[in-house]
Amino acid sequence: MAAEARTTQGFVHTLARCRQRPSLLGLELAWRWAFGIPALALIWFEAMRILAATPLDDVGLKQMTLTDPMAAAEAVSAAAARLWPGVLAAAMWMVPLLLVVWCVVSSVGRGLVLRRMVTTGLLPGISPKSTTGKVIALQMVRLAALGASFAVWFGALKWASQRAIVAPMAAGGEPNLVLYFAIVIVASLGLFTLWGVVSWVFSAAPLLAAVEGLTFAGSLRAAVTRQALRGPMVEINLVMGIVKIALVVLAMVFSATPLPFESVATPEFMRWWYAGVAIWYFVASDFFHVARLVQYAESIAVTELN
């Protein structure tokens, strides 16, 4: 009963405790943005290089309208076909590099945040172990599972396009865009929920290595077999899924707020506004990630004591 009270019912209390310790959010922002800003700069540099080296049909892209989705799709498809060789060549070296760097930076950063939680009294009784190498390896396992989920999602999108667009057009009919978007929405929400239900194993394993000092295989085995962790972890993940959706919706609402005043709002103001909304979203998201880490660590500590 105490463990349940610390998951869903105690989430608001956890948020309050995290808010009273702003250094946790500052440390979380520091390690995430220390990776994110250089990574975005590298992606931007490569994107500009590819665009500069690839001639595109600017007229067709500028004339795209929502009233003629098929013409817009053809223009986007033609542009993507021209850009794909350059994008693939850059992705072959950039994606592995960024994934490896992310695993290292996130493992070190989360270890620092976990130790800060202990020193500030947020996680009494927990003594983090120095297991950065094992945590990095377990983070790679989590990224592999996440990549597999994206592959399944992309496969569902391809099946939806074949079923609702390609097949009707091949038969001489009109594409069924309503069916296509219905399948996409259902598949996306379904896979998002499924990931929230099963991904706790890959999130718990690195924490088990850091908190209990388990081996690589022992951490994965404990995450799968420790039944007392299942309920709290699934609840936390589902709550975080709802929070992420709410943050995305709020960011969309904030982004659309100035649109009624676009006749008087300057492009420079709109750029600053969108930048502010993006920063707000990332800060809010990182704050909830800190709260989730607290919930995870407390759940593991409770099962360890039991």
Side-chain angles (χ1 to χ4, degrees), residues 70-90:
M70 298 308 298
E74 291 178 1
V76 173
S77 178
R82 288 180 173 271
L83 293 172
W84 177 245
V87 172
L88 182 61

Side-chain angles (χ1 to χ4, degrees), residues 230-262:
R230 188 185 307 275
M233 289 291 194
V234 171
E235 290 178 6
I236 296 167
N237 267 9
L238 291 178
V239 169
M240 282 299 300
I242 296 172
V243 168
K244 288 180 179 179
I245 293 175
L247 289 178
V248 170
V249 172
L250 284 174
M252 294 172 62
V253 171
F254 292 153
S255 297
T257 300
L259 294 182
F261 311 100
E262 61 180 348

